[in-house]
PDB file of all heavy atoms in Angstrom:
ATOM      1  N   TYR A  56      -4.115  10.392 -38.406  1.00  0.00           N
ATOM      2  CA  TYR A  56      -3.275  10.054 -37.256  1.00  0.00           C
ATOM      3  C   TYR A  56      -2.029  10.928 -37.231  1.00  0.00           C
ATOM      4  O   TYR A  56      -1.547  11.361 -38.269  1.00  0.00           O
ATOM      5  CB  TYR A  56      -2.831   8.582 -37.322  1.00  0.00           C
ATOM      6  CG  TYR A  56      -3.934   7.615 -37.039  1.00  0.00           C
ATOM      7  CD1 TYR A  56      -4.832   7.250 -38.037  1.00  0.00           C
ATOM      8  CD2 TYR A  56      -4.095   7.059 -35.786  1.00  0.00           C
ATOM      9  CE1 TYR A  56      -5.859   6.353 -37.787  1.00  0.00           C
ATOM     10  CE2 TYR A  56      -5.111   6.165 -35.522  1.00  0.00           C
ATOM     11  CZ  TYR A  56      -5.989   5.820 -36.526  1.00  0.00           C
ATOM     12  OH  TYR A  56      -7.002   4.938 -36.263  1.00  0.00           O
ATOM     13  N   TYR A  57      -1.530  11.160 -36.021  1.00  0.00           N
ATOM     14  CA  TYR A  57      -0.216  11.756 -35.827  1.00  0.00           C
ATOM     15  C   TYR A  57       0.704  10.644 -35.347  1.00  0.00           C
ATOM     16  O   TYR A  57       0.322   9.818 -34.512  1.00  0.00           O
ATOM     17  CB  TYR A  57      -0.222  12.830 -34.744  1.00  0.00           C
ATOM     18  CG  TYR A  57      -0.845  14.153 -35.100  1.00  0.00           C
ATOM     19  CD1 TYR A  57      -1.438  14.923 -34.113  1.00  0.00           C
ATOM     20  CD2 TYR A  57      -0.823  14.657 -36.393  1.00  0.00           C
ATOM     21  CE1 TYR A  57      -1.993  16.160 -34.403  1.00  0.00           C
ATOM     22  CE2 TYR A  57      -1.377  15.887 -36.693  1.00  0.00           C
ATOM     23  CZ  TYR A  57      -1.963  16.631 -35.691  1.00  0.00           C
ATOM     24  OH  TYR A  57      -2.514  17.847 -35.994  1.00  0.00           O
ATOM     25  N   LEU A  58       1.921  10.635 -35.838  1.00  0.00           N
ATOM     26  CA  LEU A  58       2.963   9.765 -35.306  1.00  0.00           C
ATOM     27  C   LEU A  58       3.877  10.659 -34.483  1.00  0.00           C
ATOM     28  O   LEU A  58       4.492  11.581 -35.013  1.00  0.00           O
ATOM     29  CB  LEU A  58       3.741   9.082 -36.437  1.00  0.00           C
ATOM     30  CG  LEU A  58       4.877   8.156 -36.008  1.00  0.00           C
ATOM     31  CD1 LEU A  58       4.349   7.015 -35.146  1.00  0.00           C
ATOM     32  CD2 LEU A  58       5.591   7.603 -37.229  1.00  0.00           C
ATOM     33  N   VAL A  59       3.916  10.425 -33.177  1.00  0.00           N
ATOM     34  CA  VAL A  59       4.705  11.269 -32.283  1.00  0.00           C
ATOM     35  C   VAL A  59       5.698  10.420 -31.507  1.00  0.00           C
ATOM     36  O   VAL A  59       5.496   9.226 -31.296  1.00  0.00           O
ATOM     37  CB  VAL A  59       3.802  12.060 -31.290  1.00  0.00           C
ATOM     38  CG1 VAL A  59       2.897  13.016 -32.034  1.00  0.00           C
ATOM     39  CG2 VAL A  59       2.985  11.140 -30.420  1.00  0.00           C
ATOM     40  N   LYS A  60       6.769  11.065 -31.094  1.00  0.00           N
ATOM     41  CA  LYS A  60       7.765  10.451 -30.212  1.00  0.00           C
ATOM     42  C   LYS A  60       7.590  11.105 -28.853  1.00  0.00           C
ATOM     43  O   LYS A  60       7.664  12.327 -28.733  1.00  0.00           O
ATOM     44  CB  LYS A  60       9.174  10.704 -30.758  1.00  0.00           C
ATOM     45  CG  LYS A  60      10.269  10.173 -29.891  1.00  0.00           C
ATOM     46  CD  LYS A  60      10.393   8.677 -30.033  1.00  0.00           C
ATOM     47  CE  LYS A  60      11.578   8.176 -29.252  1.00  0.00           C
ATOM     48  NZ  LYS A  60      12.247   7.089 -29.889  1.00  0.00           N
ATOM     49  N   VAL A  61       7.314  10.302 -27.848  1.00  0.00           N
ATOM     50  CA  VAL A  61       7.067  10.805 -26.494  1.00  0.00           C
ATOM     51  C   VAL A  61       8.180  10.321 -25.578  1.00  0.00           C
ATOM     52  O   VAL A  61       8.554   9.152 -25.606  1.00  0.00           O
ATOM     53  CB  VAL A  61       5.701  10.310 -25.961  1.00  0.00           C
ATOM     54  CG1 VAL A  61       5.462  10.793 -24.555  1.00  0.00           C
ATOM     55  CG2 VAL A  61       4.581  10.741 -26.863  1.00  0.00           C
ATOM     56  N   TRP A  62       8.701  11.248 -24.783  1.00  0.00           N
ATOM     57  CA  TRP A  62       9.708  10.929 -23.774  1.00  0.00           C
ATOM     58  C   TRP A  62       9.103  11.219 -22.403  1.00  0.00           C
ATOM     59  O   TRP A  62       8.794  12.360 -22.094  1.00  0.00           O
ATOM     60  CB  TRP A  62      10.959  11.785 -23.963  1.00  0.00           C
ATOM     61  CG  TRP A  62      11.696  11.490 -25.218  1.00  0.00           C
ATOM     62  CD1 TRP A  62      11.576  12.136 -26.417  1.00  0.00           C
ATOM     63  CD2 TRP A  62      12.658  10.472 -25.417  1.00  0.00           C
ATOM     64  NE1 TRP A  62      12.409  11.582 -27.343  1.00  0.00           N
ATOM     65  CE2 TRP A  62      13.092  10.559 -26.754  1.00  0.00           C
ATOM     66  CE3 TRP A  62      13.208   9.492 -24.597  1.00  0.00           C
ATOM     67  CZ2 TRP A  62      14.050   9.695 -27.282  1.00  0.00           C
ATOM     68  CZ3 TRP A  62      14.166   8.642 -25.130  1.00  0.00           C
ATOM     69  CH2 TRP A  62      14.579   8.755 -26.449  1.00  0.00           C
ATOM     70  N   VAL A  63       8.918  10.179 -21.589  1.00  0.00           N
ATOM     71  CA  VAL A  63       8.361  10.315 -20.246  1.00  0.00           C
ATOM     72  C   VAL A  63       9.498  10.191 -19.239  1.00  0.00           C
ATOM     73  O   VAL A  63      10.322   9.289 -19.340  1.00  0.00           O
ATOM     74  CB  VAL A  63       7.286   9.237 -19.983  1.00  0.00           C
ATOM     75  CG1 VAL A  63       6.783   9.302 -18.560  1.00  0.00           C
ATOM     76  CG2 VAL A  63       6.137   9.385 -20.964  1.00  0.00           C
ATOM     77  N   HIS A  64       9.535  11.094 -18.285  1.00  0.00           N
ATOM     78  CA  HIS A  64      10.546  11.067 -17.231  1.00  0.00           C
ATOM     79  C   HIS A  64      10.040  10.179 -16.097  1.00  0.00           C
ATOM     80  O   HIS A  64       8.898  10.315 -15.665  1.00  0.00           O
ATOM     81  CB  HIS A  64      10.831  12.481 -16.731  1.00  0.00           C
ATOM     82  CG  HIS A  64      11.342  13.363 -17.831  1.00  0.00           C
ATOM     83  ND1 HIS A  64      12.672  13.668 -17.975  1.00  0.00           N
ATOM     84  CD2 HIS A  64      10.708  13.987 -18.853  1.00  0.00           C
ATOM     85  CE1 HIS A  64      12.829  14.435 -19.037  1.00  0.00           C
ATOM     86  NE2 HIS A  64      11.650  14.640 -19.581  1.00  0.00           N
ATOM     87  N   SER A  65      10.898   9.267 -15.632  1.00  0.00           N
ATOM     88  CA  SER A  65      10.464   8.287 -14.642  1.00  0.00           C
ATOM     89  C   SER A  65      11.608   7.917 -13.710  1.00  0.00           C
ATOM     90  O   SER A  65      12.774   8.089 -14.049  1.00  0.00           O
ATOM     91  CB  SER A  65       9.971   7.035 -15.370  1.00  0.00           C
ATOM     92  OG  SER A  65       9.655   6.005 -14.474  1.00  0.00           O
ATOM     93  N   ASN A  66      11.247   7.380 -12.552  1.00  0.00           N
ATOM     94  CA  ASN A  66      12.237   6.853 -11.620  1.00  0.00           C
ATOM     95  C   ASN A  66      12.482   5.371 -11.868  1.00  0.00           C
ATOM     96  O   ASN A  66      13.353   4.777 -11.267  1.00  0.00           O
ATOM     97  CB  ASN A  66      11.786   7.063 -10.176  1.00  0.00           C
ATOM     98  CG  ASN A  66      11.756   8.526  -9.816  1.00  0.00           C
ATOM     99  OD1 ASN A  66      12.492   9.331 -10.366  1.00  0.00           O
ATOM    100  ND2 ASN A  66      10.883   8.888  -8.901  1.00  0.00           N
ATOM    101  N   LYS A  67      11.670   4.770 -12.737  1.00  0.00           N
ATOM    102  CA  LYS A  67      11.789   3.353 -13.050  1.00  0.00           C
ATOM    103  C   LYS A  67      12.332   3.185 -14.462  1.00  0.00           C
ATOM    104  O   LYS A  67      12.014   3.957 -15.354  1.00  0.00           O
ATOM    105  CB  LYS A  67      10.425   2.672 -12.947  1.00  0.00           C
ATOM    106  CG  LYS A  67       9.827   2.743 -11.566  1.00  0.00           C
ATOM    107  CD  LYS A  67       8.452   2.135 -11.540  1.00  0.00           C
ATOM    108  CE  LYS A  67       7.828   2.302 -10.167  1.00  0.00           C
ATOM    109  NZ  LYS A  67       6.467   1.800 -10.143  1.00  0.00           N
ATOM    110  N   LYS A  68      13.130   2.144 -14.645  1.00  0.00           N
ATOM    111  CA  LYS A  68      13.723   1.893 -15.956  1.00  0.00           C
ATOM    112  C   LYS A  68      12.718   1.255 -16.911  1.00  0.00           C
ATOM    113  O   LYS A  68      12.797   1.420 -18.116  1.00  0.00           O
ATOM    114  CB  LYS A  68      14.948   0.996 -15.792  1.00  0.00           C
ATOM    115  CG  LYS A  68      15.763   0.855 -17.041  1.00  0.00           C
ATOM    116  CD  LYS A  68      17.027   0.083 -16.787  1.00  0.00           C
ATOM    117  CE  LYS A  68      17.876   0.034 -18.049  1.00  0.00           C
ATOM    118  NZ  LYS A  68      19.140  -0.658 -17.811  1.00  0.00           N
ATOM    119  N   ALA A  69      11.756   0.529 -16.374  1.00  0.00           N
ATOM    120  CA  ALA A  69      10.762  -0.151 -17.206  1.00  0.00           C
ATOM    121  C   ALA A  69       9.749   0.857 -17.747  1.00  0.00           C
ATOM    122  O   ALA A  69       9.308   1.757 -17.025  1.00  0.00           O
ATOM    123  CB  ALA A  69      10.043  -1.211 -16.391  1.00  0.00           C
ATOM    124  N   PRO A  70       9.369   0.718 -19.007  1.00  0.00           N
ATOM    125  CA  PRO A  70       8.391   1.652 -19.577  1.00  0.00           C
ATOM    126  C   PRO A  70       6.998   1.456 -18.986  1.00  0.00           C
ATOM    127  O   PRO A  70       6.596   0.332 -18.682  1.00  0.00           O
ATOM    128  CB  PRO A  70       8.405   1.316 -21.065  1.00  0.00           C
ATOM    129  CG  PRO A  70       9.012  -0.023 -21.187  1.00  0.00           C
ATOM    130  CD  PRO A  70       9.852  -0.251 -19.979  1.00  0.00           C
TER     131      PRO A  70
END
Side-chain angles (χ1 to χ4, degrees):
Y56 288 82
Y57 285 151
L58 179 60
V59 297
K60 177 76 175 216
V61 178
W62 293 95
V63 176
H64 300 259
S65 174
N66 293 332
K67 299 176 184 176
K68 189 174 184 177

